[in-house]
């Protein structure tokens, strides 16, 4: 799976949350885990690398973490933040 | 046909807000969220570092109820300043659905050097734009006076108009933005004459001035706009003749350069 992050997507901490600006200039408020996934994803990490990282940070199995990451990426794809191919 | 990108390079206090409003009325123009994006000046002009977004506090605004909200414009500028390609990509997203012209009218781009201006041009051409430049020049004394009044309005300076003008007209900030010779020399290094429209502020609101601008930008001439002023201040204070002469003397080289290249400034400026 190839994941291309839009150059127009940008995030920053605002107060206690992370705000992500989408390419169509809307804001998404990311929960903590979402923000962590986004940070890894935008740094170029692959799905299984992100899932591994989540298993190290949280009490969660690799399979569940992979599902969560994939679902979050699907959400970002719907928002135009990433393009998924392959 | 390739879309057009209009790069406004000033001068500050020379009608660029009006220019933005004038061109924005045409359905084939879309400048996006802002008039001046402050990307290249923030990155490459030392005087303009204050436009760099380096702190999360610059990304938000507080509404009347005290709620903190993210600012779309600030996030966009932040991204353009830090992520290669974001600037060009954003303008590409505007050029669709009948929009064939966009741009960035940041007056402080007058201070860019030729290598940066060339880089801006190349990166925009790389994503498919034809890049064209608009540069509006105003009588240097009047430009400095208008800038001084802006400083007062923004709370950056206090005192009479004459006091503020006296304090600032020789500063680097005022001088670089009034040095039309330097800006024109830079533009000439990077763009061919037919890619540049140089206008004189004092002619901008005349039928021939508007016609020249409209023709260059490929829009129908709308003379209804001749009487429209945008961002115009009401002037009540007179400036002493001696100070006026001092400022004119300081910018004597700019007057001389412009009179040679734009002979009409001989009668239009210092009138």
């Amino acid at each position: 799976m190839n994941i291309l992050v839009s150059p127009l997507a940008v995030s920053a901490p605002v107060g206690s949350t992370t705000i992500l600006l989408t390419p169509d200039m809307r804001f998404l408020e990311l929960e903590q885990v979402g923000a962590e996934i986004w940070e890894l994803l935008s740094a170029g990490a692959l799905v299984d690398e992100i899932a591994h990282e989540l298993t190290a940070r949280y009490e969660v199995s690799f399979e569940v973490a992979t599902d969560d990451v994939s679902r979050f990426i699907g959400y970002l794809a719907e928002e135009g933040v990433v393009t998924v191919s392959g | 046909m390739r879309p057009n990108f209009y790069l406004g390079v000033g001068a500050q206090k020379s009608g660029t807000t009006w220019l933005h409003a004038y061109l924005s009325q045409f359905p084939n123009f879309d400048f996006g969220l802002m008039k001046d994006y402050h990307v290249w000046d923030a990155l490459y002009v030392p005087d303009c570092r204050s436009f760099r977004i380096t702190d999360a506090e610059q990304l938000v605004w507080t509404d009347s109820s005290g709620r903190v909200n993210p600012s779309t414009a600030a996030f966009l500028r932040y991204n353009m300043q830090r992520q290669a390609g974001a600037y060009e990509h954003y303008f590409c997203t505007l050029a669709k659905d009948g929009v064939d012209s966009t741009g960035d009218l940041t007056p402080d781009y007058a201070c860019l050097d030729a290598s940066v201006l060339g880089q801006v041009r190349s990166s925009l051409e790389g994503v498919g734009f034809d890049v064209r430049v608009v540069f509006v020049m105003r009588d240097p004394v009047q430009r400095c006076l208008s800038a001084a009044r802006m400083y007062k309005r923004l709370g950056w300076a206090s005192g009479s108009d004459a006091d503020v003008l006296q304090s600032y007209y020789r500063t680097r900030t005022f001088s670089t933005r009034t040095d039309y010779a330097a800006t024109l020399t830079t533009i000439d290094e990077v763009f061919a004459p037919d890619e540049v429209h140089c206008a004189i502020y004092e002619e901008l609101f005349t039928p021939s001035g508007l016609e020249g601008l409209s023709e260059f930008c490929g829009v129908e001439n709308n003379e209804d706009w001749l009487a429209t002023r945008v961002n115009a201040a009401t002037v009540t204070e007179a400036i002493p003749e001696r100070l006026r002469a001092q400022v004119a003397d300081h910018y004597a080289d700019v007057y001389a350069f412009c009179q040679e290249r734009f002979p009409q400034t001989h009668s239009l400026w210092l009138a």
Side-chain angles (χ1 to χ4, degrees):
Chain A
M1 183 193 294
N2 294 318
I3 301 162
L4 185 66
V5 176
S6 167
L8 288 181
V10 61
S11 69
V14 173
S16 57
T17 62
T18 294
I19 298 292
L20 174 64
L21 180 68
T22 68
D24 61 356
M25 302 295 120
R26 288 183 305 110
F27 286 114
L28 305 179
E29 193 172 326
L30 303 183
E31 303 292 342
Q32 183 182 332
V33 178
E36 290 178 27
I37 297 173
W38 163 248
E39 188 184 349
L40 293 163
L41 192 63
S42 57
L46 304 172
V47 173
D48 53 356
E49 291 171 332
I50 299 171
H52 270 301
E53 185 60 34
L54 293 182
T55 61
R57 294 181 189 180
Y58 300 97
E59 285 187 20
V60 62
S61 69
F62 179 74
E63 289 72 23
V64 169
T66 302
D67 277 353
D68 286 349
V69 173
S70 299
R71 205 163 39 245
F72 185 69
I73 289 171
Y75 167 62
L76 294 181
E78 282 175 17
E79 296 291 344
V81 173
V82 299
T83 307
V84 180
S85 60
Chain B
M1 198 166 151
R2 290 160 65 92
N4 299 303
F5 189 97
Y6 289 90
L7 195 64
V9 296
Q12 183 197 55
K13 308 310 299 174
S14 299
T16 56
T17 302
W18 178 90
L19 176 66
H20 178 260
Y22 178 69
L23 294 176
S24 293
Q25 73 178 299
F26 298 101
N28 65 313
F29 265 84
D30 186 351
F31 286 100
L33 277 181
M34 289 174 267
K35 164 190 165 274
D36 32 11
Y37 284 83
H38 286 293
V39 173
W40 308 107
D41 55 333
L43 293 175
Y44 295 106
V45 179
D47 270 359
C48 300
R49 289 224 172 99
S50 60
F51 289 110
R52 267 199 216 177
I53 297 184
T54 55
D55 192 311
E57 283 181 14
Q58 295 169 272
L59 295 169
V60 297
W61 59 281
T62 305
D63 64 25
S64 54
S65 68
R67 183 187 152 96
V68 175
N69 302 283
S71 158
T72 311
F75 264 74
L76 179 60
R77 183 176 288 162
Y78 171 63
N79 194 31
M80 288 176 165
Q81 290 176 357
R82 66 194 282 275
Q83 175 145 271
Y87 181 83
E88 302 85 332
H89 195 88
Y90 172 70
F91 290 107
C92 280
T93 66
L94 301 177
K96 62 184 181 188
D97 302 332
V99 172
D100 63 12
S101 297
T102 182
D104 176 4
L105 310 178
T106 301
D108 287 341
Y109 290 171
C111 306
L112 296 177
D113 67 29
S115 70
V116 174
L117 196 61
Q119 180 190 325
V120 175
R121 177 186 182 151
S122 300
S123 59
L124 288 164
E125 286 179 340
V127 295
F129 283 109
D130 279 338
V131 185
R132 320 186 85 197
V133 171
V134 178
F135 183 42
V136 187
M137 289 154 282
R138 183 177 186 176
D139 182 330
V141 171
Q142 294 302 322
R143 197 214 75 76
C144 289
L145 180 55
S146 183
R149 288 176 176 140
M150 178 182 74
Y151 273 38
K152 283 176 61 181
R153 279 198 306 279
L154 295 173
W156 299 346
S158 58
S160 67
D161 290 355
D163 288 344
V164 178
L165 180 62
Q166 178 76 64
S167 301
Y168 282 92
Y169 79 89
R170 276 175 298 205
T171 61
R172 182 181 160 81
T173 306
F174 272 47
S175 296
T176 52
R177 286 158 182 77
T178 316
D179 190 352
Y180 308 146
T183 301
L184 286 164
T185 303
T186 300
I187 292 170
D188 289 345
E189 277 186 53
V190 180
F191 292 91
D194 65 343
E195 297 168 324
V196 181
H197 182 69
C198 292
I200 304 300
Y201 173 84
E202 290 77 5
E203 289 180 326
L204 201 53
F205 311 105
T206 65
S208 64
L210 188 69
E211 192 179 350
L213 172 72
S214 299
E215 189 180 341
F216 181 75
C217 295
V219 296
E220 198 174 325
N221 200 28
N222 183 352
E223 292 201 357
D224 293 346
W225 276 70
L226 287 174
T228 303
R229 296 291 181 275
V230 179
N231 206 16
T234 307
V235 175
T236 51
E237 292 180 40
I239 298 299
E241 217 28 69
R242 195 162 146 259
L243 174 58
R244 199 179 289 272
Q246 267 177 32
V247 181
D249 187 53
H250 182 73
Y251 291 106
D253 290 348
V254 177
Y255 281 104
F257 180 93
C258 289
Q259 280 175 21
E260 187 157 325
R261 187 151 167 178
F262 310 103
Q264 69 271 40
T265 60
H266 184 72
S267 57
L268 290 170
W269 289 357
L270 289 177

